[in-house]
Amino acid sequence: MTTLVTGVARLRLMADALQHLWQRAGETRLNTSSGPARLELVRAAESVTASYRVLAASIERRSPTLPPGGPAEDLRLVESVYRDLLGSGDTRANVVRIVWTSKYLESAHQLLPSLAAAADTAGE
């Protein structure tokens, strides 16, 4: 049960930190050419969200299972922000925010197996 509680707390803390990171960006985030990178983040976020929905539904059925899939490939993200790394300071700051967001999504996905195992144990 502890793993479930700490897992949720970990996800919440990471989400709060990212929200703060992007809110501090203000107008800067709107003036970049990171369209492909944003698309990669949206794809990764949708994948992680779908995985957590599958896990939640399986817990509700009292049969926790690990959903298939994973986050976006790091290489695609790097390729999509490479051009921005050569830009101004504001653009490079946006790249950092994008990479941090990507790592959060990856971490959220990596947390799934331990949550599924903990839910299975808690249901016994």
Side-chain angles (χ1 to χ4, degrees):
M1 183 62 83
T2 302
T3 301
L4 290 174
V5 174
T6 58
V8 170
R10 179 177 165 196
L11 287 170
R12 183 63 196 184
L13 287 171
M14 288 189 294
D16 287 347
L18 280 176
Q19 181 180 11
H20 181 68
L21 180 71
W22 283 98
Q23 283 176 340
R24 285 185 39 209
E27 294 296 317
T28 303
R29 67 187 170 136
L30 301 175
N31 298 327
T32 64
S33 59
S34 300
R38 287 186 187 142
L39 182 58
E40 288 302 323
L41 289 179
V42 168
R43 286 181 186 154
E46 288 172 348
S47 173
V48 171
T49 300
S51 295
Y52 274 92
R53 283 191 181 124
V54 168
L55 178 61
S58 70
I59 289 171
E60 191 173 75
R61 289 189 311 271
R62 298 183 190 267
S63 176
T65 57
L66 186 60
E73 297 277 334
D74 281 341
L75 183 57
R76 287 193 317 230
L77 183 66
V78 168
E79 289 173 352
S80 66
V81 297
Y82 177 74
R83 187 179 51 237
D84 290 343
L85 286 170
L86 304 175
S88 69
D90 288 344
T91 303
R92 286 190 301 258
N94 195 51
V95 169
V96 170
R97 287 187 288 275
I98 288 170
V99 170
W100 274 59
T101 302
S102 173
K103 291 303 175 188
Y104 163 74
L105 292 170
E106 182 181 322
S107 180
H109 192 270
Q110 290 172 349
L111 188 58
L112 279 165
S114 64
L115 293 177
D120 190 32
T121 303
E124 294 177 351

